[in-house]
Amino acid sequence: MSKVEILPNFIGGQRRKSTSPDFDWVRNPATGQDLAKVPLSGPEDVDKAAQAAQKAFPRWRRTPPGERVQYLYKLKQLLEEELDNLARSVTEECGKTLEEARGELQRGIENVEVACGIPTLMQGYNSEDIARGIDEIMIRQPVGVVAAITPFNFPAMIPLWFMPYAVACGNCIILKPSERVPVTIARLVRLIERTGLPEGVVQVVNGSRETVEAILDHPAIKAVSFVGSTTVARAVYARAAADGKRAQCQGGAKNPIIVLPDADMETTGRIAADSAFGCAGQRCLAASVAITVGEAGKSFRDVIVEIARKRKVGYGLEEGTEMGPVITAESKSRIEALIQKGIDGGGRPLVDGRGARIAGYEQGHFLRPTVIGEVSADNPVSGEEIFGPVLSLVEAATIEDAIEWVNSGRYGNMACLFTQSGAAARKFRHEADVGNIGINLGVAAPMAYFPFSGWKDSFFGDLHGQGRDAVDFYTQKKVVVERWPKEWSRKF
């Protein structure tokens, strides 16, 4: 792909130039290299995509589910064959390490695989003789034209949270990738073309805020999936709902981990570091607060500080790199300002990752892992999403105090507990007010056949992404009650 290519939209089975003259640059966050230009499409392009999807929908919905999934089987095969190339694309435009990018692709492929089970997952149910001679049947039918608005931090995986299920259920979908990372989706489109999927089933419209607003306001689009910050998720949910659309909107997070004194500190520290600093902290399941209980405070602090100081930061394509850059210079500045707020609020900088300079990559947006100790409940960073490689340390006297701290936050995406006590683990999983629970692991990422279950300000909607929730979201239930009296039957 040319470094200065203006990426096309993908509408009606064809790559099309956006009607908008406006564009933005896509740059490698580690090197500053220009990768492509992305058009900032407006309402006209969204309308073309919606019309193409609407035109394709009647035929696609009548395609038997067993036939629909044959295209997904082919897509799964192509994704596996091109995994390394796609992973490299993710690293180049997103900044994560190549190993992290491969893991992201594998998670996306798992969702394609689960969606291939739609002939079973989409089944309804029936009852014979609900009254004498009367039967009742529930069937599932596709919603129609749907859209997914996806973020920068998982350029491949999160679109694959939505697209396979939507398509398998008989819908036609419009993808709007983040304008910061559209190159991977452009390459995914080439694979979709190779599957032979009928034109109009999948569209891609590049753009920014105006594109999102046009999607939310278009009357042909019946459902919207979104992943991003809580502020935007709330606004997207409200605007979509006001227009009568279905919406599932994943927001931000402030994910705590609790460390009990009986935890294995070396293992806990390694797992916690991978959670907090993996993907440069730019994932909605990154640990951002470690709550140590009792005497776990000093031992965990010593371990996590040593690991943070030794973590190798650099370009994700270079062997041995453990953490890449953050996505933009603006993100780097915002994270550094929040670190200072945490220090000004009484926190102690045990490891300060600001001012990082990586030899050979001076144009990159690098920070090093940061650990802030002695963070109190009223510290500005104790409840604010940082979305960077920053871990705050909080001390609690008991597990009850730690759980209270978890439940007092506005977010409810994930919380994890490290312990050897089954009783403590059971108490924690029962009482913690979050949607994803981890026991002795740092990233409680659900498998594709389970819902990605955020709570509180981390999610707006009723049905989450992945698994059976996705099938429920992308289908509408129709109940048929029927009677066939003998005397009405024709005699042959």
Side-chain angles (χ1 to χ4, degrees):
M1 180 174 293
S2 169
K3 295 177 183 178
V4 294
E5 177 187 357
I6 299 179
L7 297 174
N9 292 328
F10 183 68
I11 297 173
Q14 299 179 357
R15 300 176 208 174
R16 299 187 184 182
K17 183 179 178 180
S18 172
T19 60
S20 172
D22 300 324
F23 66 89
D24 203 351
W25 287 97
V26 183
R27 293 191 170 95
N28 186 317
T31 67
Q33 175 189 17
D34 295 330
L35 299 175
K37 294 180 180 179
V38 58
L40 303 181
S41 304
E44 185 177 345
D45 292 306
V46 171
D47 182 58
K48 287 180 179 179
Q51 287 187 38
Q54 199 166 30
K55 181 180 178 181
F57 174 63
R59 182 176 179 182
W60 183 243
R61 67 164 293 189
R62 286 176 172 80
T63 302
E67 293 183 25
R68 293 199 293 255
V69 299
Q70 299 308 312
Y71 300 99
L72 294 181
Y73 282 125
K74 179 63 174 176
L75 179 61
K76 178 179 181 291
Q77 177 187 344
L78 292 170
L79 287 167
E80 290 171 339
E81 291 173 357
E82 296 294 326
L83 190 146
D84 283 344
N85 290 331
L86 289 169
R88 186 180 181 90
S89 174
V90 169
T91 294
E92 287 175 342
E93 68 176 348
C94 181
K96 61 182 64 176
T97 69
L98 195 56
E99 182 181 357
E100 290 167 340
R102 289 183 181 123
E104 169 182 346
L105 262 298
Q106 190 56 53
R107 283 284 184 164
I109 291 169
E110 288 169 6
N111 275 281
V112 178
E113 186 174 53
V114 171
C116 287
I118 213 68
T120 298
L121 293 172
M122 200 176 166
Q123 287 177 354
Y125 49 82
N126 69 285
S127 290
E128 189 178 45
D129 286 329
I130 58 160
R132 194 176 299 277
I134 301 177
D135 304 330
E136 191 160 347
I137 304 167
M138 189 282 284
I139 59 177
R140 295 178 183 272
Q141 295 182 336
V143 173
V145 179
V146 301
I149 302 161
T150 59
F152 77 85
N153 57 331
F154 287 93
M157 183 189 76
I158 293 182
L160 293 174
W161 270 6
F162 304 121
M163 186 274 288
Y165 299 100
V167 167
C169 287
N171 303 281
C172 296
I173 189 169
I174 301 169
L175 292 173
K176 205 299 284 183
S178 168
E179 64 275 21
R180 297 176 184 173
V181 292
V183 176
T184 301
I185 286 296
R187 291 175 174 168
L188 179 62
V189 161
R190 295 177 183 179
L191 301 187
I192 290 172
E193 289 178 297
R194 289 171 60 186
T195 67
L197 193 72
E199 62 182 42
V201 176
V202 174
Q203 346 287 324
V204 175
V205 180
N206 292 291
S208 187
R209 178 172 179 170
E210 186 180 11
T211 320
V212 172
E213 291 174 346
I215 287 171
L216 295 175
D217 293 341
H218 201 287
I221 298 172
K222 304 302 182 184
V224 176
S225 304
F226 172 86
V227 179
S229 70
T230 287
T231 299
V232 181
R234 188 190 297 273
V236 168
Y237 182 73
R239 190 160 177 166
D243 199 37
K245 302 183 194 300
R246 293 185 176 195
Q248 48 180 189
C249 299
Q250 190 80 34
K254 188 71 177 180
N255 302 310
I257 61 172
I258 297 175
V259 183
L260 297 188
D262 67 341
D264 181 297
M265 290 303 160
E266 292 296 329
T267 301
T268 299
R270 175 179 53 77
I271 294 173
D274 288 344
S275 177
F277 310 135
C279 301
Q282 298 175 124
R283 54 187 176 194
C284 58
L285 291 181
S288 54
V289 179
I291 307 169
T292 56
V293 175
E295 60 188 33
K298 182 180 185 306
S299 53
F300 178 78
R301 181 184 68 232
D302 292 345
V303 169
I304 197 69
V305 164
E306 181 179 5
I307 294 173
R309 285 175 177 163
K310 291 181 177 179
R311 203 165 191 88
K312 183 178 178 181
V313 178
Y315 188 19
L317 291 181
E318 292 188 349
E319 189 174 349
T321 298
E322 297 175 286
M323 191 180 91
V326 296
I327 189 69
T328 63
E330 292 76 16
S331 292
K332 177 182 176 181
S333 297
R334 178 185 56 79
I335 294 164
E336 290 181 332
L338 285 169
I339 292 170
Q340 189 60 50
K341 279 179 67 175
I343 295 169
D344 293 342
R348 186 158 69 95
L350 303 175
V351 184
D352 193 336
R354 293 174 294 178
R357 295 290 183 272
I358 306 301
Y361 300 105
E362 287 76 10
Q363 301 304 311
H365 315 309
F366 291 98
L367 294 106
R368 295 187 185 277
T370 296
V371 181
I372 304 175
E374 301 175 16
V375 173
S376 61
D378 59 355
N379 189 302
V381 299
S382 67
E384 187 170 351
E385 182 177 34
I386 297 176
F387 220 61
V390 181
L391 183 66
S392 302
L393 303 186
V394 174
E395 296 184 0
T398 65
I399 187 174
E400 288 79 13
D401 293 337
I403 293 173
E404 183 179 352
W405 197 100
V406 170
N407 293 347
S408 67
R410 61 181 290 212
Y411 299 109
N413 213 35
M414 182 192 78
C416 298
L417 176 72
F418 291 86
T419 183
Q420 296 183 47
S421 168
R426 189 177 189 280
K427 175 183 179 66
F428 173 71
R429 76 181 191 188
H430 180 71
E431 297 181 8
D433 292 338
V434 300
N436 299 295
I437 292 287
I439 304 296
N440 294 321
L441 49 83
V443 179
M447 295 297 290
Y449 32 83
F450 283 89
F452 192 97
S453 185
W455 286 14
K456 299 194 284 189
D457 275 5
S458 292
F459 182 76
F460 302 93
D462 299 304
L463 297 168
H464 296 80
Q466 299 194 148
R468 293 185 181 276
D469 268 31
V471 178
D472 280 338
F473 184 76
Y474 287 123
T475 60
Q476 45 196 350
K477 301 178 182 70
K478 179 180 285 185
V479 175
V480 180
V481 184
E482 58 185 22
R483 178 175 61 183
W484 297 99
K486 233 183 226 184
E487 57 270 23
W488 291 2
S489 299
R490 292 181 60 186
K491 295 182 180 177
F492 293 94

